[in-house]
Amino acid sequence: MSIRFTAKARRGTVALTLAAGLALGVAGCGGGGGDDDKPTPPASASKDSGSKPSAQEGQSETPLAELKGTDGLFLQVTSAQRDAGGFVTVSGSLKNDGAESVAIPAQTSGDETEVIKHGQSLGGATLVDSKGKKRYYVLRDTDGRPLTTTGLTTLEAGQALPVFMQFPAPPTDTADVALQLPTFSSGTIKISG
């Protein structure tokens, strides 16, 4: 069973989540607090023509999951971090393990017109909480841009691209969720934090 929000309810939820996250971010902006080594939420990265994740994202860590796609593509998930702002950031790398260059399938952007108009992305990704019987969609900003890596086109043979996706956080007692991305296999990941 999945629950779908109306577009108006989803925008309200996203706006509330973003407002809470911004309020927490502004409150923590004082100098010398020792938090300078923590990565900032990559929400603004979606405005670029290809996000630039922090140095900690996409590093060689033990993967939480590997989702196989078409034509040698696979998504290696290295972290799923619950943040104080009420969201989960899933990070990893999108790789082309094939011998030829591959175009990223358009289906990875999902099928929502509001997301598609902002270009190729991972906006079609979802987290599924089977325990709570809920599906969580990639967050959007107030202009409808997905809070995920954007500007995806083609990966050359052997190329890897650091990626991220942000979702509303499931309840704190939910740790295991399924990550789904169109044209890729599904994989179970564990949320930390």
Side-chain angles (χ1 to χ4, degrees):
M1 175 172 129
S2 67
I3 297 176
R4 295 198 132 210
F5 291 117
T6 64
K8 186 174 182 180
R10 185 172 39 246
R11 280 193 296 270
T13 302
V14 170
L16 181 60
T17 302
L18 288 175
L22 289 174
L24 287 172
V26 170
C29 284
D35 290 336
D36 293 340
D37 59 333
K38 290 184 182 176
T40 56
S44 64
S46 66
K47 295 177 185 173
D48 297 335
S49 65
S51 65
K52 295 163 184 64
S54 73
Q56 293 179 354
E57 292 177 358
Q59 297 299 317
S60 56
E61 304 170 11
T62 303
L64 298 176
E66 289 187 347
L67 285 58
K68 295 184 191 264
T70 57
D71 299 322
L73 289 175
F74 73 95
L75 175 65
Q76 186 177 63
V77 179
T78 54
S79 74
Q81 183 68 41
R82 186 184 302 270
D83 296 304
F87 53 91
V88 170
T89 302
V90 176
S91 302
S93 63
L94 184 60
K95 297 182 180 181
N96 177 1
D97 208 25
E100 298 181 11
S101 63
V102 176
I104 308 299
Q107 296 92 329
T108 61
S109 296
D111 58 6
E112 293 184 36
T113 305
E114 194 171 340
V115 172
I116 294 171
K117 74 179 181 181
H118 294 289
Q120 184 87 10
S121 70
L122 301 178
T126 59
L127 290 181
V128 178
D129 171 10
S130 58
K131 178 181 168 186
K133 298 185 180 356
K134 291 188 180 178
R135 179 181 303 269
Y136 298 90
Y137 295 86
V138 169
L139 291 169
R140 281 90 166 147
D141 68 13
T142 54
D143 293 325
R145 285 187 285 271
L147 300 185
T148 182
T149 305
T150 59
L152 302 173
T153 56
T154 302
L155 285 179
E156 299 301 323
Q159 183 181 4
L161 175 71
V163 295
F164 78 94
M165 297 158 270
Q166 288 187 325
F167 301 91
T172 54
D173 63 342
T174 299
D176 295 326
V177 292
L179 175 63
Q180 297 179 342
L181 181 65
T183 75
F184 284 75
S185 61
S186 180
T188 300
I189 58 175
K190 184 174 286 295
I191 299 173
S192 59

